[in-house]
Amino acid sequence: MTDRNLLVGPFNRVEGDLEIRLDVKDGAVAAAYTNSPLFRGFEMMMLGKDPRDALTITPRICGICSISQSAAAAFALADAAGAEMPPQGMLVAALLHAVENMNDHITHFNLFFMPDFARPIYAGEPWHDEAVNRFTATQGSATRAAVAARAELFNIVGLLGGKWPHTLAIQPAGVTKSPSTSDKVRIQTTLRSFRRYLESELLGGKVEDFAAISTKEQLQNWTAGDAGRFLRIGQAVGLDDMGFGPGRFMSFGAYPLPGKRAFKAGVWDGGLKPLDTASITEDLSHAWMIGPDAHPTGGQTMPDEDMRDDAYSWCKAPRLAGQTIETGALARQIVDGHPLALALADHPSAWARVAGRLLEIARTQMLLEDLAAQIDPKERFMGHRDLPKNGEGAGMIEAARGALGHWTRFENGKITGYQIIAPTTWNFGPRDRNGVAGPVEAALVGAPVRDGEETPIAVQHIVRSFDPCMVCTVH
Amino acid sequence: MNILWLQASGCGGCTMSLLCAEKPDLFDTLGGAGIEFLWHPAFSEATGDEARRLLAAVESGKQPLDILCVEGAIARGPRDTGRYQMLSGTGRSMMDWVQSLAPLARHVIAVGSCAAFGGVTTAGGNPSDAVGLQFDGTHEGGILSADFRDPTGLPVINISGCPMHPDWVTETLLMLAGDALTPADLDSYARPRFFADHLVHHGCTKNEFYEYKASARELSEIGCMMEHLGCIGTQAVGDCNIRPWNGSGSCTRGGYPCIACTAPEFEEPRHTFTETPKIAGIPVGLPSDMPKAWFMALASLSKAATPDRIAKNATSDRVAIPPTLRKPKT
């Protein structure tokens, strides 16, 4: 018997539209239902178009991870054409993509996640004044520093890709601009400046030292910077005891480079396992979508205009071998085998999720510097490959929020199938036909609801710990 | 001056672009001019019930509203219900909210091409039956009628672009704060003329190639992209090559053709974005304001006169031949 029902929304400081229905019992969430209340229909828009148009249209699914969408489309077409970027083209594509993912993490931490600790509900806590000073929305000193730092970091994308978001530099056969030596030194200068921001503000210590943390105890002893503030405050409000994911993690592998991916692909389910993407299905039982459950190569998008009562979201429910799975920065670092991430894997709380993101920030800075140093302005950055008239391909990459896949098929030069599964679709999908709740729906069960709370703060912490991107979810 | 910002059917990219404002950053730029967000879905602390109370206060008139910014198109589907986008937690469609709030604001701004004209949200048959605030593509009238005017006589101000440049928004807001924007400062698509009176072609770093019709044939080659790669910078409004994006960029500087993202209906060019449609080898879309015969005559002349340096560089991915140095006088 539930005591009351809450409808949480507009749910802000997430990207896009999110509404959550909660059943509350005995001061805690008993059941949660996530609704992505915006439908645009990008998969339908693509049908009948020239496959190359996917490179222009699909990045516009999302303004916060547009390079991720762009890369997924480019790799899907490359797959269909049997094309491969020249090694230096892969390098620059990875650099562009990693800059966007880095900025997503910085934006999430400072603008989306931390402002909750500055809220009046925490007035009186010993750390509250500090949180107000650093993280008050639009005004906090950390917020301001982060906004300036991310704008400057995006100068790398301005230089290599013209603009952000909706950068179109990544193509199936390479990148559209060949960086010069002067571009290379400017990129390195920008990265050094960003390192100063990370080390003086966010981490409060050397990037390498944070990336070298290998146990939970060492992590808890990191008290410097905003990372230290989060780790302490997060423990104090109990984030390590709430918001547990399914304990299964997936990564498609981030940043394709010659012969490898910078962060590995795979699955964690009590141990590392290879990823079988053929076992992916999208379940439509609780989505306002018509048609059978299917692998994305055979999937379709037909919205249910009647919005039947037994469904409650425009979001499909993806499953891997029939199971829910969590995706994101923590998942990526676990699958890559980082010792700290592995140490956090068996206690996948809201706190662990944000800590995993901080770890990835440190490691991504090192990766970015390494990629920039490897740019060889004398080399070629674009190859050539004509797209066949008929083809089928998949582009599977990692957005900041996790595994992103584009699956396309075209005949006689026209797209006949285009399906996308975004990271947040995995995390925020609704129930499946077995009644199994999606990862976030399950993670919310047990979240404390204080007397009189209409928009429970614990629910907000848990939801934001996943860093959802709702416009991608339902595209 | 306060701003209520709503994200309708779009990608959130205009908010993300806005955060790229530099010198000074976004919050300094606006805060210094006394402009504050009453509520913004990405920036504000208030969420859920607090945000709903704020919306109710604006709707009842208790909370005066200076500027309503809408990012994203307005979904009218399915079947004119607007239920393809419900403003979460409120049980009401975004279409309903915007129609209710727009008349209460001192000014209404459509941020980005989706809110202005429908934009990419309406591509490919427009599955969600989306539309702009006061335009449906090139046609006047969206979910607000063609004769909608704010209390100062301005129509919905269309800061188009996909996304728009952050400065286009901040400068418009600063002008409104100083009562410095009149109907005469908008073009016929209600875009502020301070950016719409320029063409993307202006200041394009490929102009020397353009002069000689020295053309790139494939992406990544540094020649002019008009003849083969679909670039319509000579027809597209925007000061993209005059003021930089993200430090020093623009689409064309990144080696990508201009797709005229500030224009209504850019999302359906009726040809592949990166290919110039031609009839008998002659590009169909020619520069604005230029008679076709003149263009053809000039183009053939300039092609015949193209210096070797420019011709070779045009089809290279970097400068292959540097400019010839003038020999010192003896």
Side-chain angles (χ1 to χ4, degrees), chain A residues 225-240:
Chain A
D226 292 329
R229 283 186 189 94
F230 160 73
L231 294 166
R232 275 181 281 128
I233 296 172
Q235 293 267 10
V237 302
L239 291 190
D240 204 22

Side-chain angles (χ1 to χ4, degrees), chain A residues 334-355:
Chain A
I334 291 169
V335 169
D336 194 53
H338 189 279
L340 173 62
L342 292 172
L344 295 169
D346 58 2
H347 198 72
S349 64
W351 188 82
R353 212 166 279 122
V354 178

Side-chain angles (χ1 to χ4, degrees), chain A residues 368-403:
Chain A
L368 280 166
E369 290 172 2
D370 185 37
L371 293 173
Q374 287 183 58
I375 293 175
D376 182 354
K378 294 189 296 299
E379 284 296 317
R380 284 197 60 79
F381 294 82
M382 178 77 92
H384 174 81
R385 186 82 180 204
D386 285 324
L387 214 53
K389 283 276 172 215
N390 303 299
E392 196 170 330
M396 283 178 267
I397 53 105
E398 284 283 312
R401 294 157 194 81

Side-chain angles (χ1 to χ4, degrees), chain A residues 262-310:
Chain A
F263 296 138
K264 294 187 198 84
V267 170
W268 170 273
D269 187 359
L272 284 171
K273 292 172 183 168
L275 170 66
D276 174 20
T277 58
S279 71
I280 294 172
T281 49
E282 288 199 287
D283 181 302
L284 310 187
S285 61
H286 291 78
W288 288 308
M289 289 288 160
I290 298 165
D293 301 349
H295 184 271
T297 49
Q300 48 189 342
T301 300
M302 287 195 294
D304 173 13
E305 295 192 357
D306 295 326
M307 298 172 74
R308 62 185 191 279
D309 287 340
D310 54 354

Side-chain angles (χ1 to χ4, degrees), chain A residues 242-261:
Chain A
M242 60 171 83
F244 292 98
R248 291 180 296 274
F249 300 93
M250 176 179 75
S251 168
F252 286 168
Y255 315 124
L257 292 169
K260 62 167 183 180
R261 295 200 172 206

